[in-house]
Amino acid sequence: QVQLVESGGGLVQPGGSLRLSCAASRVIFRIITMGWYRQAPGKQRELVAIITSSGSTNYADSVKGRFTISRDNAKNTVDLQMNSLKPDDTAVYYCNVNSLGGEYWGQGTQVTVSS
């Protein structure tokens, strides 16, 4: 069973930066996409950023220009660099890996943007 482990969440002031990282417990073959989702209290889970095996990326409009997703195919890791953070970015952030063998989710890491 594959486990995704996220790290890097925490409390940051508006305008600050955080970097989230996600690592798989074992190699995942035939990955289609790796990505980050988030869920704020009382809201549905939403896509933040996604990256394909070829490196193509897609971002939610609300984070374009502020967040950058990257991946290391050899290590099966995916990172999310978050800059210029806003209070509206406060949420639990989840790592996701979609492969031909199945879809996997991390347990989530809390990001709180507050002064």
Side-chain angles (χ1 to χ4, degrees):
Q1 182 72 7
V2 175
Q3 290 184 327
L4 301 181
V5 180
E6 301 115 332
S7 61
L11 173 65
V12 64
Q13 293 186 341
S17 298
L18 282 175
R19 187 177 184 89
L20 304 182
S21 295
C22 174
S25 58
R26 64 169 178 80
V27 174
I28 303 173
F29 296 101
R30 300 174 293 175
I31 292 175
I32 302 170
T33 60
M34 303 179 79
W36 289 91
Y37 290 72
R38 68 185 180 188
Q39 187 167 18
K43 295 186 177 180
Q44 290 188 332
R45 189 173 298 189
E46 64 176 359
L47 173 69
V48 176
I50 199 165
I51 185 166
T52 69
S53 57
S54 62
S56 297
T57 58
N58 190 32
Y59 295 91
D61 287 343
S62 60
V63 307
K64 283 181 181 177
R66 300 188 298 121
F67 291 10
T68 303
I69 190 170
S70 60
R71 63 185 285 178
D72 185 323
N73 289 332
K75 296 181 179 179
N76 274 184
T77 60
V78 59
D79 292 350
L80 185 68
Q81 178 65 42
M82 305 186 293
N83 298 328
S84 302
L85 283 160
K86 305 174 181 180
D88 284 348
D89 295 318
T90 295
V92 178
Y93 284 70
Y94 297 90
C95 175
N96 172 272
V97 174
N98 189 21
S99 74
L100 292 179
E103 185 177 25
Y104 309 97
W105 290 90
Q107 81 286 351
T109 184
Q110 177 70 45
V111 171
T112 302
V113 184
S114 175
S115 55

